[in-house]
Amino acid sequence: MSSFSISAYHDVDQVYAGIKNLMAQPPIHMPKDVLDTYIRKIESTCSKSKAMTTEAKEYIPGGVQHNLAFNHPFPIVIDKAEGPYLYDIDGNRYIDFIQAGGPTVLGSNPPIVREKCIELLNHCGPSTGLFHEYELKIAKLICENMPSVDMFRMLNSGSESVIAAVRTARVITGKKKIIKVGGAYHGWMDQMVYGIRIPGSGRFESTGIPRAYTSHTQEVYPNDLGQLERTLQLNILRGGTAAVILEPLGPESGTYPTQKGYNKAVRELCDKYGALLIFDEVVTAFRVGMSGAQGYFDIKPDLTVFGKVVAGGYPSAGGLGGKKEYMEYLGAGLSGARKKQSKVGGTMAANPLSCVAGYYTLLEIKKQDACAKAGRAGDRLNKGLLSMMERYNLPYVVYNQGSICHLETAGTLFIKINYLKILQVMKEIKVRKQLMEEMGAAYLAEGLVTLAGSRIYTSMADTDEVIDEALNKFDSVFSKLRR
Ligand SMILES: Cc1ncc(COP(=O)(O)O)c(C=O)c1O
């Protein structure tokens, strides 16, 4: 039996009240002497990382190709990942709360998945461009477990799968408008770089993207059903809404949590106005549970976007699923005779390596009830952090949706965008971002790797001992803050 990662839904009003209180206070910076000691520690224990990433700046824009952690004072270079731990090239061990950005629900590099991948590589190699048995196996497994998914098309990333969903919704409905929830990140494709990270930010981050590309993308504030309905109504005069796309736990992996009844109400509004409902389950599918957040909330979206865990932490993680009548618009190969077709695909899409890795990962998550175990670890961490906040009288906000934990010390994403006072807003973003970097560096020096200093993913590998060790490390940071 597999169960959900979320043991009890958090009190959303309490979270937002906590955030309001945090934002009303001046940012709490780490005392300079404490921060300097942490930075010196990183400089002295991570010298090989420093040398390598300094050289990388010559060849790689920004010095890293991909890094979800903050790079303050410099990025660390990972040499080994195993279960709950990461090890850098200087031999330092870290508790891994970044989890490759979400996919490693089983913990890092589980032998059972690795062995199947090696078997495949020895026998077939990573890709052939032709059909492979595991394409069927993973599609079948996903369809069997995700309530709204009759058919599955595997793709390369969450970003391109979102665009596949958007295009398919437009093909099906013949309408153009896409409504998203402000703050949500749905990948970096032109149409979706709109209202990302901070609700109400519109084209704030759309540098290099012509206005026309985002002209059919609209955003509504998290949990604001009135605004959503008004937008759907107005869109009738503008040619109609193709789809509403949302992250079911709330934008930025639940950083702005959704009220428990929100998704159901959105489903009803979509039905009322003839728009499709797209769930972006890039983070939540097979992390919240085998049936995803849609199983948890008991809602059937029309289309579901997948990513991350569908390739088990291996490359090429993406996919689109949905009702058969909709998914049949996605032709493949030479069977493109259908007039109205949503063209998606890619050379590496559904390559045997991604399929085999994803298949055995999902199978193992189910067998081991990994979502629930990872969720228990998240609950333990959340509880420990909450009591720490009380003990040190800190206004930080701590909440979790099972294995997705949020530790808001800076509240950067909760800054209110006001274009009339944009210089002030930019300054506040800078100050709060710097604070996140400081906290991220402090955690790193203590041996904790977090996502951007504010998000923590837990996995099945996080036993009580691992979580308690992590809590001691957080305690060491928070005990040094002076108020
Ligand atoms: C909710 C959500 N959608 C889409 C994406 C984009 O996925 P990818 O990074 O695989 O392109 C992400 C990435 O973090 C995400 O969190």
Side-chain angles (χ1 to χ4, degrees):
M1 219 275 297
S2 85
S3 39
F4 292 109
S5 158
I6 303 171
S7 56
Y9 202 64
H10 47 23
D11 183 334
V12 174
D13 292 332
Q14 198 180 331
V15 171
Y16 284 112
I19 294 288
K20 197 171 168 197
N21 176 48
L22 176 70
M23 299 308 284
Q25 315 205 14
I28 307 168
H29 284 278
M30 179 119 347
K32 190 173 175 320
D33 57 320
V34 175
L35 184 63
D36 288 349
T37 307
Y38 274 137
I39 300 293
R40 274 200 302 278
K41 184 176 174 193
I42 298 170
E43 297 265 357
S44 67
T45 55
C46 304
S47 56
K48 287 186 189 165
S49 278
K50 185 174 183 184
M52 191 178 284
T53 54
T54 303
E55 189 189 356
K57 282 187 195 157
E58 292 294 314
Y59 304 100
I60 298 172
V64 288
Q65 302 289 21
H66 174 85
N67 195 344
L68 293 165
F70 273 127
N71 299 327
H72 188 59
F74 49 82
I76 52 162
V77 182
I78 297 302
D79 175 51
K80 181 176 153 188
E82 191 176 51
Y85 302 117
L86 296 172
Y87 300 83
D88 69 15
I89 52 167
D90 290 279
N92 301 302
R93 191 195 77 169
Y94 303 90
I95 295 178
D96 174 15
F97 285 141
I98 202 164
Q99 297 263 308
T104 54
V105 179
L106 295 169
S108 272
N109 203 2
I112 185 144
V113 178
R114 184 172 68 239
E115 279 153 21
K116 295 293 179 188
C117 290
I118 293 171
E119 228 173 77
L120 173 103
L121 289 174
N122 285 335
H123 186 69
C124 165
S127 62
T128 65
L130 297 175
F131 198 86
H132 191 278
E133 178 190 3
Y134 281 98
E135 249 173 277
L136 172 61
K137 285 194 156 169
I138 190 168
K140 226 171 135 182
L141 188 60
I142 289 175
C143 293
E144 281 164 7
N145 284 283
M146 296 295 292
S148 73
V149 177
D150 302 331
M151 291 183 123
F152 175 71
R153 160 59 38 88
M154 189 135 173
L155 294 163
N156 287 298
S157 70
S159 297
E160 66 169 48
S161 306
V162 165
I163 294 303
V166 163
R167 183 177 299 166
T168 306
R170 286 179 173 146
V171 168
I172 294 164
T173 59
K175 297 167 186 167
K176 291 197 186 83
K177 297 287 179 209
I178 301 292
I179 305 175
K180 73 180 288 274
V181 182
Y185 177 68
H186 294 294
W188 61 275
M189 303 301 185
D190 286 349
Q191 296 172 60
M192 300 313 286
V193 181
Y194 188 86
I196 63 171
R197 300 188 215 286
I198 301 181
S201 59
R203 284 180 49 84
F204 199 63
E205 296 205 41
S206 309
T207 319
I209 302 172
R211 273 190 187 275
Y213 287 60
T214 51
S215 62
H216 296 296
T217 312
Q218 301 165 312
E219 65 168 315
V220 290
Y221 280 92
N223 293 311
D224 192 337
L225 288 164
Q227 191 193 14
L228 176 61
E229 178 148 25
R230 283 192 300 281
T231 310
L232 285 160
Q233 271 167 350
L234 275 174
N235 282 352
I236 297 171
L237 308 171
R238 301 165 174 152
T241 308
V244 176
I245 181 167
L246 55 81
E247 290 181 78
L249 289 179
E252 274 290 335
S253 306
T255 299
Y256 308 86
T258 39
Q259 297 284 359
K260 188 97 192 269
Y262 179 76
N263 294 312
K264 187 167 179 285
V266 177
R267 173 73 277 179
E268 286 164 9
L269 285 176
C270 284
D271 291 342
K272 184 171 169 190
Y273 290 92
L276 297 195
L277 175 60
I278 303 171
F279 268 16
D280 179 342
E281 292 231 37
V282 166
V283 171
T284 50
F286 312 108
R287 176 168 281 279
V288 168
M290 283 304 289
S291 56
Q294 56 195 263
Y296 177 75
F297 288 107
D298 193 20
I299 310 279
K300 283 192 178 175
D302 299 297
L303 294 169
T304 302
V305 178
F306 295 89
K308 303 196 190 267
V309 70
V310 288
Y314 283 75
S316 279
L320 180 64
K323 290 182 191 169
K324 198 169 185 175
E325 64 193 276
Y326 295 153
M327 292 301 289
E328 280 181 343
Y329 283 93
L330 296 142
L334 300 176
S335 64
R338 192 176 187 133
K339 238 186 173 172
K340 270 175 51 171
Q341 203 190 24
S342 177
K343 278 231 177 303
V344 304
T347 307
M348 285 297 157
N351 66 77
L353 180 61
S354 310
C355 292
V356 90
Y359 175 71
Y360 284 106
T361 298
L362 301 188
L363 213 58
E364 208 51 30
I365 289 177
K366 186 167 191 166
K367 247 196 241 167
Q368 303 232 24
D369 204 9
C371 298
K373 287 179 186 159
R376 276 205 292 277
D379 285 349
R380 189 177 181 91
L381 186 69
N382 194 65
K383 199 168 155 220
L385 286 171
L386 273 174
S387 76
M388 226 174 272
M389 296 309 130
E390 262 176 44
R391 195 158 10 104
Y392 294 117
N393 189 27
L394 289 165
Y396 299 156
V397 191
V398 183
Y399 49 106
N400 74 313
Q401 297 105 3
S403 59
I404 308 170
C405 308
H406 307 273
L407 170 55
E408 284 297 334
T409 56
T412 315
L413 299 184
F414 292 92
I415 291 170
K416 296 257 180 297
I417 296 285
N418 180 348
Y419 284 101
L420 297 176
K421 294 184 183 165
I422 200 65
L423 289 179
Q424 203 179 314
V425 170
M426 298 287 283
K427 195 171 156 211
E428 196 182 354
I429 290 177
K430 197 171 161 204
V431 168
R432 291 192 179 265
K433 216 170 144 216
Q434 186 196 334
L435 181 58
M436 280 168 93
E437 283 184 357
E438 287 171 10
M439 296 305 285
Y443 303 149
L444 186 78
E446 292 285 354
L448 297 165
V449 178
T450 58
L451 199 154
S454 60
R455 195 172 317 148
I456 294 164
Y457 288 116
T458 53
S459 81
M460 187 189 91
D462 292 322
T463 58
D464 288 356
E465 291 71 37
V466 173
I467 295 298
D468 292 348
E469 187 190 343
L471 285 168
N472 284 333
K473 291 174 184 295
F474 278 116
D475 195 295
S476 181
V477 175
F478 294 132
S479 66
K480 295 183 178 69
L481 291 168
R482 292 176 211 128
R483 297 201 67 206

